[in-house]
Amino acid sequence: MIRNVEHIGIAVRSIEEARGFYEALGLTVDHIEEVPDEGVRVAFIPCGNTRFELLEPTRPDSPVAKFLAKRGPGIHHVCVESDAIDEDDARLRREGVELIRERPSPGAGGARVQFVHPKATGGILLELSQPPEGAAAAHSAAGGRSAR
Ligand code: ZN
């Protein structure tokens, strides 16, 4: 089942340059981690019961680097939290929805994630994310998840 908007992913050329605005807004970067498989560094910025996720490419052939080259900085994806991602994945497949990954697989923060093609969603890349076992369903503003 799908619950809240877990985060909004924003493609940036540089986390160091982009974070200043969010800090001026009064928000705080919770932690930064690298996801080598995706070729990105990710900065998590809690905001109420959701968060911003700034995505900075670490290599020129990464999906986020290609997005930046084509469209410039901006909203890269929206993520909704799933409490049963295998069931959601299977249901979407039955409905004929185009998914990006063959099956839900590891993403940032130990979550298991799947992506839905923008063709199916009205034009946005949609991420489904199931938090790791034991993680709070809704992360706190203090940052319920620690950096690796
Ligand atoms: Zn994301």
Side-chain angles (χ1 to χ4, degrees), residues 7 9 53 55 77 79 115 127:
H7 62 262
E53 181 184 89
L55 305 156
H77 66 272
C79 176
F115 289 89
E127 179 180 6

Side-chain angles (χ1 to χ4, degrees), residues 17-90:
E17 284 172 26
R19 67 186 289 173
F21 163 73
Y22 295 91
E23 288 165 338
L25 204 53
L27 304 175
T28 306
V29 174
D30 178 46
H31 72 279
I32 297 177
E33 76 178 68
E34 200 166 327
V35 186
D37 288 354
E38 294 288 320
V40 286
R41 280 176 79 222
V42 183
F44 295 98
I45 304 174
C47 178
N49 66 353
T50 188
R51 54 188 180 164
F52 293 103
E53 181 184 89
L54 303 184
L55 305 156
E56 173 194 288
T58 55
R59 49 168 209 263
D61 63 337
S62 72
V64 170
K66 289 178 190 159
F67 178 94
L68 283 167
K70 213 164 124 186
R71 303 167 68 167
I75 292 182
H76 177 266
H77 66 272
V78 172
C79 176
V80 292
E81 183 176 307
S82 166
D83 62 2
I85 197 166
D86 292 308
E87 283 172 30
D88 288 325
D89 181 89

